[in-house]
Structure formats: C-alpha cells, structure tokens
Amino acid sequence: MRRVVLMSTTGATADPLAALGALPGVTDSVERVRKAVDRVYGHRIMRRRSNAVTSEAALRGARGSAALSGADWALEEVRRRSDFSVDDEARTVGAALRLTAEAGQLLSIWRQSPLRVLARLHLVAAARQDDEVGRPRLPGELVDEPFVELPLPDATEVAGRLEGLAGLIVAGGSAPALVTAAVVHGELLALRPFGSHNGLVARAAERIVLVGSGLDPKSICPAETGHAELGRPAYLAALDGYVSGTPEGMAAWIAHCAQAVELGARESTAVCEALQRGAA
C-alpha cells in the first residue's frame, strides 16, 4: 500500500504539500471551499459590519473546538459565562476562547517560526506555568487527550516530525491553503506533541493557516464550527485516514476539513442574514 511521505527531514519530495493538492478529489474540495468563502465575503453585510461577523465567528469557532474536546456547551452558555475556572468543561471552553483570541495575534510570526507559535498556543491553552507547558513532551511524559485513541508517537519521532512540519511552513510552496491547513491540523493531532490541549492547539493552528494564507483573512469561516457539526466520530474517522498515510486516507482527511470550512462559511452566512434582518 502506497504511503504519502510528508515530514521526512531528508526532503524526498521538493513540495510534498503541493503533491497532496493533486490527489483525486482534492482539487474539487479546494474549489468548493474557495466558492463558499467567496460567497460569505460577497454578502453585503460584510461591507458595513464585518467586525461583528468576525467576532461572532470567533465565538462560534471556540464553542465548536471546545465541543470536540468534550465541553459541548450551547452557544448562549458560552456567550453568557464569565467564569471559566470552575470545572474541567469550563476550563476547556476558556482555553478555546483564549486560543481563538490569541490566534489573530500570531499570524505574522507563523511563517517565520511555527514552532514558536505552537509553543505560545499551548501556553495560552494551559494557562499555567510549569516545566511541561509550552514545549513538546519529553520521553516518558504522558499525554492527556482522551478522545484521540491513536497510537502515540514517541518523543523522538515527535521532535523530528515537528521540525519537518516547520520546515515545510517556512519554505512555503504552491499548495492551496486548505491543504496546508489540513496537514497542520492532522499532523498535530496525530503527534499530540504537548502533554495536554493538543486538539485545541491543532484547530487553532488550522485557523491561523486559513487566515494567514489569505483564504479567510477576516477569520469569518470557522472550520471548528464545521468540525463540531460533522461530529466527533466522523472527525476521528477522517483522522484515521490521515494517519494511514495513504493517498486515499489523506484525500479523505482534506475533504473532511474542506467540508468543515464550508459549514463554517454557511454558519457565518446565517450570521450575516441575521445581522441584516436586525439592521432592516
């Protein structure tokens, strides 16, 4: 069975992310996402109230990411609450909200130092200071990520693949933003490089790629919302495809991420419609 080699440090393929863009069905996924995003940006409410749409998308994206990590709160509960320290679910929602806010501050750093950004994201999510926060795990350290039950790569493999991923980001390339975002998201979930909050960090990194690439510069198409709407079983099944490394599995994961962005775009279109009715 063929496997797609991505994070090799030996550089077997000059631009492996671009090669993923040529997999069967991926071009169609990229085009569907582009059209979905363009439709939201073309909504007339975006000319006058884009900041309100961005704020609402951030809230809904954080809610979706938290739901996938086990804190499936109603949107109005997330909007209403101010104390996110009372229990594990509240802390998860708080972490998702902080990450969504922080992601926009890290766009300029991502292309130069993605590992620095990932470390910062973990610090923000964990909201504490100790030796295990803000750095990849060391040999023997445990990982708290109960909903991802894939085999856990050892710390040496994690370090090598993170360096490989960072190298691809810094080098740039011709891959569509959707492909790069899907790979960043999938690789971080597969590696679970930190002792905790890996899912939240992976989804925040996906957001950074989608926004920083220019596909969704105002951050109004929250993929996290779409991932949550598709459901955790489908999310983890698609992740299995990514981890398989096969062309079919990789294409299925990219298609799943594309569908999530499309659903995020649909969510923000509904927000635009609601704002328009309110303004009328």
Side-chain angles (χ1 to χ4, degrees):
M1 182 179 293
R2 284 194 303 143
R3 291 177 61 84
V4 179
V5 178
L6 281 178
M7 303 310 159
S8 170
T9 57
T10 59
T13 305
D15 190 354
L17 298 186
L20 291 180
L23 290 175
V26 171
T27 299
D28 290 342
S29 293
V30 169
E31 184 63 15
R32 287 198 312 273
V33 164
R34 186 189 63 78
K35 289 180 178 178
V37 173
D38 285 350
R39 281 194 294 271
V40 185
Y41 276 84
H43 198 287
R44 61 182 182 178
I45 206 72
M46 287 293 295
R47 292 195 297 270
R48 293 176 288 127
R49 302 193 63 184
S50 64
N51 288 342
V53 180
T54 295
S55 296
E56 188 64 19
L59 186 73
R60 294 176 185 228
R63 193 219 72 83
S65 191
L68 287 168
S69 287
D72 192 1
W73 288 12
L75 180 64
E76 290 310 313
E77 178 71 4
V78 178
R79 198 190 306 278
R80 180 186 68 82
R81 289 283 288 270
S82 58
D83 182 1
F84 296 101
S85 62
V86 295
D87 55 38
D88 286 345
E89 284 197 5
R91 284 188 284 273
T92 296
V93 175
L97 288 166
R98 291 192 301 273
L99 283 172
T100 299
E102 186 72 12
Q105 310 302 313
L106 299 172
L107 295 171
S108 63
I109 305 171
W110 173 254
R111 284 295 299 272
Q112 287 74 42
S113 185
L115 296 184
R116 179 181 164 196
V117 169
L118 294 176
R120 176 62 185 169
L121 290 174
H122 189 241
L123 275 167
V124 169
R128 68 179 195 274
Q129 295 287 340
D130 63 45
D131 291 343
E132 297 181 3
V133 173
R135 61 153 175 81
R137 54 188 166 86
L138 301 176
E141 290 182 344
L142 300 178
V143 172
D144 180 16
E145 200 71 40
F147 298 109
V148 180
E149 298 178 349
L150 295 165
L152 190 67
D154 65 33
T156 301
E157 180 180 353
V158 168
R161 286 171 63 175
L162 280 178
E163 288 290 343
L165 179 63
L168 291 175
I169 299 301
V170 171
S174 59
L178 171 68
V179 172
T180 302
V183 168
V184 168
H185 184 170
E187 190 70 1
L188 292 174
L189 271 181
L191 294 177
R192 283 146 290 162
F194 303 108
S196 63
H197 300 92
N198 290 286
L200 294 174
V201 168
R203 292 183 288 274
E206 179 186 47
R207 173 184 286 269
I208 286 172
V209 175
L210 293 171
V211 174
S213 68
L215 176 64
D216 180 20
K218 294 183 182 293
S219 194
I220 61 170
C221 300
E224 307 97 319
T225 299
H227 286 302
E229 184 173 340
L230 291 167
R232 190 186 298 127
Y235 182 66
L236 296 177
L239 179 62
D240 284 343
Y242 178 86
V243 173
S244 77
T246 65
E248 297 79 11
M250 298 291 284
W253 170 249
I254 294 168
H256 185 88
C257 291
Q259 191 176 1
V261 178
E262 289 180 81
L263 289 171
R266 187 182 70 180
E267 184 90 354
S268 285
T269 298
V271 169
C272 287
E273 295 293 336
L275 288 171
Q276 185 167 280
R277 289 192 299 271

